[in-house]
Amino acid sequence: MNLAEHYNQLYKTSSETILSGNYSLDSKINDTSDSRFGITLLLRPSEKIKSNIQLFLNELKAVEPNQYYYPNSDIHITVMSIISCYEGFSLDKINVEDYIKIIEKSLEDLGEIKIEFRGVTASNSAIMIQGFPFDETLNNLRNKLRENFRNSTLEQSIDSRYSIATAHSTVMRFTENLQNPEKLIEVVEQFRDYNFGDFTADKLELVFNDWYQREENTIHLEDFLTN
């Protein structure tokens, strides 16, 4: 996949949707009865990059203060959604150790995962930071995870929603009608090619999580050191 082309096309379509008022709202983000949970392998950007992201989010908050903004603790890149969030999933349904073993096997002989966060894109319900891996290491890991989990009998739903191929990070979600969509897109345009920085992942995290990866609903299961 040509990531730059993918992000550009996504932004073109989504910005037009936002400006025409046909965007979508996330109705469940403040629903305390939301019981969608799953397990995810993820990585997190450096503190410096998170600080740069918050500067961008402050600009967005100035024009759209009532939307949902990710705190630093929740900002992440999904490496693989191993069990996509669904209602009623709980950890007692699986043996976590079995999942850890498959991930460890998939990480054998893997190089460093280095990612550049450059520019901003959008969907019809969210704003995202564009991530660009430096090489094929992340893709190689994802393919190994796919193969190893599919060859197991463990519960998994890899690629059931879509086949993950990007390295983006969602940082804002629309929860109520936008007050000023034109101004929102104006701010996003200013950061379309902004360099938030690059980082080398020092570890991957396996977590039990809700749909939004909120820290207060996350159970940390295992760290996998990557360098």
Side-chain angles (χ1 to χ4, degrees):
M1 174 188 281
N2 182 322
L3 271 183
E5 205 173 281
H6 171 77
Y7 289 138
N8 286 340
Q9 189 56 50
L10 186 60
Y11 179 72
K12 183 178 184 299
T13 305
S14 301
S15 59
E16 289 168 0
T17 300
I18 291 166
L19 290 171
S20 66
N22 293 320
Y23 53 85
S24 301
L25 299 181
D26 192 319
S27 59
K28 290 197 170 187
I29 205 156
N30 296 313
D31 181 357
T32 53
S33 66
D34 184 4
S35 65
R36 295 172 298 166
F37 287 88
I39 61 170
T40 306
L41 186 66
L42 56 79
L43 57 85
R44 300 186 192 276
S46 66
E47 293 304 315
K48 186 175 188 311
I49 288 175
K50 288 179 188 174
S51 297
N52 289 337
I53 290 172
Q54 292 302 331
L55 293 175
F56 165 58
L57 294 187
N58 287 340
E59 298 282 328
L60 293 180
K61 287 174 188 174
V63 298
E64 288 291 343
N66 300 323
Q67 307 304 328
Y68 182 83
Y69 294 92
Y70 278 63
N72 277 353
S73 59
D74 302 356
I75 293 173
H76 68 281
I77 292 173
T78 297
V79 173
M80 188 63 74
S81 182
I82 295 168
I83 297 178
S84 296
C85 292
Y86 66 86
E87 287 186 6
F89 173 70
S90 59
L91 279 176
D92 58 15
K93 292 179 182 288
I94 63 168
N95 180 357
V96 174
E97 280 303 317
D98 291 340
Y99 288 78
I100 290 171
K101 284 175 186 169
I102 288 188
I103 294 167
E104 285 176 339
K105 181 182 176 185
S106 305
L107 285 167
E108 287 174 5
D109 302 320
L110 191 79
E112 289 184 337
I113 298 175
K114 192 172 182 182
I115 293 171
E116 180 184 33
F117 266 158
R118 188 180 75 252
V120 179
T121 189
S123 70
N124 65 356
S125 62
I127 303 296
M128 298 165 287
I129 309 297
Q130 299 178 158
F132 296 91
F134 274 59
D135 57 26
E136 288 300 306
T137 306
L138 179 58
N139 279 338
N140 293 342
L141 171 58
R142 285 169 168 164
N143 287 332
K144 284 184 182 178
L145 288 165
R146 289 181 176 106
E147 181 183 356
N148 290 334
F149 273 106
R150 284 176 184 152
N151 288 336
S152 78
T153 57
L154 301 181
E155 177 184 352
Q156 53 91 11
S157 53
I158 289 172
D159 297 339
S160 62
R161 286 174 57 225
Y162 56 87
S163 181
I164 189 164
T166 66
H168 71 273
S169 187
T170 301
V171 292
M172 171 198 180
R173 291 183 185 270
F174 305 159
T175 56
E176 56 180 71
N177 290 334
L178 296 171
Q179 295 176 11
N180 196 333
E182 292 83 6
K183 197 76 178 164
L184 173 76
I185 293 299
E186 200 177 293
V187 172
V188 171
E189 285 281 355
Q190 291 169 11
F191 285 84
R192 272 287 287 138
D193 296 310
Y194 183 81
N195 184 3
F196 292 91
D198 59 64
F199 70 101
T200 300
D202 56 352
K203 66 179 179 180
L204 304 181
E205 297 175 39
L206 180 65
V207 297
F208 170 80
N209 57 278
D210 70 5
W211 190 272
Y212 309 101
Q213 289 286 350
R214 285 177 288 212
E215 184 181 39
E216 65 265 28
N217 293 332
T218 296
I219 298 175
H220 181 267
L221 302 175
E222 187 71 26
D223 280 344
F224 304 90
L225 300 180
T226 55
N227 58 31

